[in-house]
C-alpha cells in the first residue's frame, strides 16, 4: 500500500518553543555576602550547609524558584518558572520568536519625540514602583538587588528577573534593602 504524503513545503513552519535555562555555578559564590539574603528567613530556618558551595548553590536556585512562583502566582510580570533540578532552573523565555532575549531595562531603547520618550520612561518608573509595592504587599517579598539590570523590557512591559536575592518582608534587613532600592530607583529617575 502507498499512503499519500505531504511535501514539507505544504506544512506550516513550526513555531519554536524557547525556554530560558539558568545554571547556578559555584563561581557565583565569589560574592561572599550572599549569606545575608538567606540568614534570617524563616524558609531557611532549618539551616543549610554554608561550608559546601554545591549546597549553597542549590539553596540559591531553590530560592529563585520559590520567589518566581510567588511573583507569577500574584500576576507580577516575570518569567514563568517551569522546572528546577538541583542547580538548573528552566523558565519561560522572554524575547522574540527568533530567540533574541528581551533587553534589560538598562539597554531598552524608546522611540518617538523627546516628550514621548520622557513620558514613556515616566510611565515605566511608575510601573516599577507599582511592581515593588505589589511584591511587598502581595508576595511579602523585597527584591534586595532590584536595578535596571534585573528588569527586562518585553512587549512594552517590565518583567522582574533575578529574584534569588529577594527576601521575605520580615527578614531582618528587608526594610534596609527596600529603602536602598527605593532611593536608587528615585535617583535614577
Amino acid at each position: 500500500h502507498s499512503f499519500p504524503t505531504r511535501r514539507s513545503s505544504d506544512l506550516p513552519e513550526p513555531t519554536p518553543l524557547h525556554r530560558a535555562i539558568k545554571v547556578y555555578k559555584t563561581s557565583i559564590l565569589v560574592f561572599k555576602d550572599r549569606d545575608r539574603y538567606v540568614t534570617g528567613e524563616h524558609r531557611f530556618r532549618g539551616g543549610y550547609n554554608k561550608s559546601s558551595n554545591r549546597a549553597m548553590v542549590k539553596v540559591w536556585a531553590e530560592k529563585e524558584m520559590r520567589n518566581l512562583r510567588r511573583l507569577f502566582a500574584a500576576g507580577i510580570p516575570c518569567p514563568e518558572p517551569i522546572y528546577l533540578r538541583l542547580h538548573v532552573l528552566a523558565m519561560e523565555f522572554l524575547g522574540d520568536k527568533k530567540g533574541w532575549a528581551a533587553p534589560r531595562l538598562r539597554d531598552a531603547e524608546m522611540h518617538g519625540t523627546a516628550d514621548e520618550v520622557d513620558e514613556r520612561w515616566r510611565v515605566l518608573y511608575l510601573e516599577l514602583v507599582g511592581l515593588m509595592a505589589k511584591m511587598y504587599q502581595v508576595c511579602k517579598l523585597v527584591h534586595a538587588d532590584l536595578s535596571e539590570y534585573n528588569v527586562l523590557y518585553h512587549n512594552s512591559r517590565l518583567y522582574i528577573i533575578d529574584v534569588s536575592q529577594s527576601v521575605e518582608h520580615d527578614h531582618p534587613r528587608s526594610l534596609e534593602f527596600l529603602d536602598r532600592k527605593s532611593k536608587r530607583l528615585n535617583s535614577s529617575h
Side-chain angles (χ1 to χ4, degrees):
H1 296 294
S2 66
F3 297 98
T5 59
R6 286 180 158 191
R7 290 184 297 225
S8 61
S9 62
D10 295 339
L11 298 174
E13 188 69 27
T15 304
L17 178 63
H18 298 289
R19 293 288 185 223
I21 305 293
K22 188 170 185 176
V23 179
Y24 296 82
K25 298 180 181 182
T26 55
S27 63
I28 69 165
L29 298 175
V30 170
F31 177 32
K32 292 294 183 190
D33 62 351
R34 294 207 184 258
D35 183 59
R36 70 184 179 149
Y37 300 107
V38 177
T39 300
E41 281 212 37
H42 76 274
R43 296 182 288 177
F44 299 99
R45 240 181 286 169
Y48 59 96
N49 188 350
K50 294 180 193 178
S51 63
S52 167
N53 283 350
R54 287 182 194 266
M56 186 63 181
V57 166
K58 186 173 180 280
V59 165
W60 208 246
E62 289 169 357
K63 195 167 187 276
E64 177 124 18
M65 180 71 163
R66 289 177 186 171
N67 291 342
L68 279 173
R69 282 183 175 158
R70 287 166 79 170
L71 267 63
F72 191 79
I76 294 173
C78 68
E80 179 183 5
I82 297 170
Y83 185 74
L84 174 67
R85 171 102 181 183
L86 300 174
H87 64 286
V88 179
L89 174 63
M91 61 188 119
E92 173 187 13
F93 173 77
L94 298 173
D96 67 20
K97 292 177 183 176
K98 293 183 179 182
W100 292 101
R104 299 173 301 179
L105 184 57
R106 171 88 172 117
D107 303 321
E109 294 181 14
M110 303 297 153
H111 302 285
T113 66
D115 287 342
E116 291 169 341
V117 169
D118 286 348
E119 176 62 14
R120 184 69 193 133
W121 282 113
R122 188 186 74 73
V123 169
L124 290 173
Y125 167 80
L126 294 174
E127 183 180 339
L128 189 54
V129 169
L131 293 174
M132 287 174 62
K134 192 171 183 181
M135 280 182 69
Y136 187 83
Q137 295 167 348
V138 177
C139 299
K140 309 295 187 212
L141 290 172
V142 172
H143 194 310
D145 192 36
L146 188 64
S147 74
E148 64 274 19
Y149 295 97
N150 292 329
V151 178
L152 296 182
Y153 184 66
H154 180 60
N155 293 335
S156 301
R157 290 184 70 191
L158 299 179
Y159 285 78
I160 305 295
I161 61 168
D162 292 336
V163 294
S164 55
Q165 289 153 305
S166 296
V167 297
E168 295 281 337
H169 72 296
D170 59 356
H171 183 280
R173 299 182 72 187
S174 66
L175 294 180
E176 172 193 336
F177 293 143
L178 184 61
D179 184 54
R180 188 178 67 210
K181 292 306 159 186
S182 297
K183 285 178 181 171
R184 183 175 179 173
L185 180 64
N186 284 325
S187 70
S188 65
H189 178 68

